[in-house]
Amino acid sequence: PLSESDLVVFGDAAAGHDGVLSDASGSVVVKPCTATEIAFYESAAMHPAFAAYMPTYMGTLKLSSSGTVDETATAAAAAAASQPAGSATASGTASALSPDDPGPLRGKKLETGLSIVLENIASPFKKPNILDVKLGAQLWDDSASLQKRERLDKVAAETTSKSLGFRMAGMKVWQGAGEQKDPLVDATGYRVYNKFYGRKFSADSVIEGFREFLFVPAAGIDDDLGRTMVNILLKQVEGIQKVLEAEEIRMYSASILFVYEGDGEALRRALEEEKSRTSGTAQPDEGDRGGDDDEGEGDVAKAYAVKLIDFAHATWTPGLGSDENALQGVRSTAKILGDLARM
Ligand code: ADP
Ligand code: MN
């Protein structure tokens, strides 16, 4: 069971709102959310092929407006993530996990007091490199105000969201253990790319962002290893494309979250272990072998995880056919990874 004192600021968010928390072990994320997102996670069990590309849903948690998350832990985690300590917006008393109680919803996302508890797909890695690719040229659903539609349409038109159906929404890439002169690299050796980084790309230049994510010589990820990862991630995106083509769903502003081991040496080891484990019997859909392998838990080094996340505006829509808005972004992402693999 999860308790209040376990919660710390989640240091591995690549994009999105403040207020994502984690537990002390880092195995889950606790994210303020809407009733729509919870309903979507709860109904995903009926769509197992799709659910294989979602983080495991562990329940909901109600944070009361009184009480605070342990200050020391919060400050430490915030410092490690090089975020201002004041950005820890989620405060409250965590009650026990209550999957059946949606709790009261009070207006805006970060004020609902309702959080979703999910498998942290950025765990366990030694140095996770993380990329959030936000899907869709249209980023709003029917419930959005005219003002919000116009704002999001403007961002889409100015970025690759419109032209490619996706944009890079945030990224963090480990730059190795060596001394860092780059002022953009934080104390933990990560270069953190905020939401404005991905907005500057055009349809032709966005491949450079993926290159920056996947080729990191200073961290031991050379051309060869980078290309190996590109091909692995491409397979995952093709898997996502396939399940999306088979579902009748509408999701606006959902993301593909890419995570892979950013420590080149650890990445090599994880890939080798995986190869010897699977020895011939390829299982392309199981990139993240966390602890559900038959080997002892924690023994299995993870090389990567690719999942769809952020279902605040996602619903199943029987009769409406496939989600071409999200699929445009998935197909473009596959195309760019394919181009990168051939370079
Ligand atoms: P929002 O964009 O509405 O704030 P998201 O669901 O996109 O919410 O979450 C924000 C960020 O938190 C994501 O960009 C991602 O980096 C991180 N995140 C969300 N869910 C998970 C998860 N299950 N595992 C790991 N990281 C996650
Ligand atoms: Mn998001």
Side-chain angles (χ1 to χ4, degrees):
L2 210 53
S3 71
E4 173 193 352
S5 55
D6 285 334
L7 298 180
V8 297
V9 171
F10 180 52
D12 277 329
H17 301 87
D18 286 338
V20 181
L21 302 175
S22 186
D23 66 330
S25 77
S27 62
V28 301
V29 297
V30 178
K31 193 192 76 150
C33 73
T34 61
T36 306
E37 184 156 33
I38 290 168
F40 187 81
Y41 269 98
E42 296 201 333
S43 58
M46 280 147 74
H47 304 257
F50 188 94
Y53 287 102
M54 297 169 71
T56 304
Y57 170 62
M58 319 196 59
T60 62
L61 195 59
K62 204 153 77 185
L63 301 174
S64 81
S65 50
S66 63
T68 52
V69 174
D70 177 58
E71 296 265 325
T72 321
T74 301
S82 75
Q83 291 164 341
S87 74
T89 53
S91 64
T93 306
S95 59
L97 283 178
S98 53
D100 299 320
D101 176 15
L105 290 176
R106 301 194 302 266
K108 277 176 132 186
K109 183 169 186 174
L110 298 180
E111 292 158 15
T112 60
L114 189 62
S115 291
I116 190 164
V117 184
L118 299 170
E119 163 202 12
N120 173 12
I121 76 154
S123 165
F125 288 90
K126 202 167 162 214
K127 300 287 177 193
N129 284 350
I130 305 172
L131 166 63
D132 181 314
V133 166
K134 188 187 274 284
L135 297 173
Q138 181 184 321
L139 296 160
W140 44 267
D141 65 12
D142 286 346
S143 72
S145 65
L146 185 58
Q147 199 185 11
K148 183 172 180 180
R149 295 177 191 205
E150 286 174 347
R151 178 167 53 82
L152 295 179
D153 282 349
K154 184 164 182 287
V155 177
E158 291 167 353
T159 63
T160 59
S161 290
K162 187 72 185 288
S163 52
L164 296 176
F166 82 82
R167 73 170 182 264
M168 298 176 87
M171 178 163 97
K172 51 180 290 189
V173 181
W174 193 59
Q175 302 297 323
E179 202 183 315
Q180 293 297 338
K181 294 198 179 82
D182 189 340
L184 297 170
V185 176
D186 71 14
T188 64
Y190 274 91
R191 177 148 181 209
V192 180
Y193 304 77
N194 68 16
K195 65 181 179 184
F196 297 108
Y197 170 76
R199 290 190 185 186
K200 70 171 201 240
F201 291 117
S202 66
D204 293 324
S205 67
V206 72
I207 192 168
E208 297 309 324
F210 284 89
R211 198 202 300 279
E212 193 134 347
F213 181 56
L214 285 153
F215 296 86
V216 197
I221 304 171
D222 59 14
D223 278 9
D224 223 43
L225 191 52
R227 189 163 296 123
T228 299
M229 266 334 292
V230 170
N231 281 305
I232 288 172
L233 298 188
L234 172 58
K235 272 219 173 78
Q236 295 296 306
V237 174
E238 288 169 346
I240 287 173
Q241 182 181 327
K242 206 170 138 205
V243 297
L244 255 186
E245 282 169 346
E247 293 285 358
E248 296 184 294
I249 186 178
R250 290 295 177 271
M251 46 186 206
Y252 299 97
S253 278
S255 291
I256 305 177
L257 192 66
F258 292 95
V259 183
Y260 77 97
E261 177 55 62
D263 178 313
E265 216 174 289
L267 176 58
R268 262 176 229 282
R269 231 178 299 128
L271 289 172
E272 306 235 312
E273 275 180 32
E274 181 167 317
K275 208 190 258 168
S276 62
R277 255 199 320 278
T278 53
S279 57
T281 52
Q283 294 167 291
D285 283 351
E286 292 203 19
D288 52 331
R289 300 189 173 84
D292 46 8
D293 267 70
D294 38 19
E295 291 173 58
E297 245 177 76
D299 289 346
V300 183
K302 222 161 141 182
Y304 63 93
V306 179
K307 302 279 174 176
L308 290 163
I309 60 158
D310 200 351
F311 301 106
H313 305 281
T315 48
W316 306 102
T317 52
L320 290 192
S322 57
D323 187 348
E324 292 303 315
N325 181 53
L327 271 166
Q328 183 201 359
V330 175
R331 292 185 183 118
S332 299
T333 303
K335 160 113 189 9
I336 286 163
L337 288 172
D339 290 347
L340 199 52
R342 283 186 297 273
M343 284 175 99

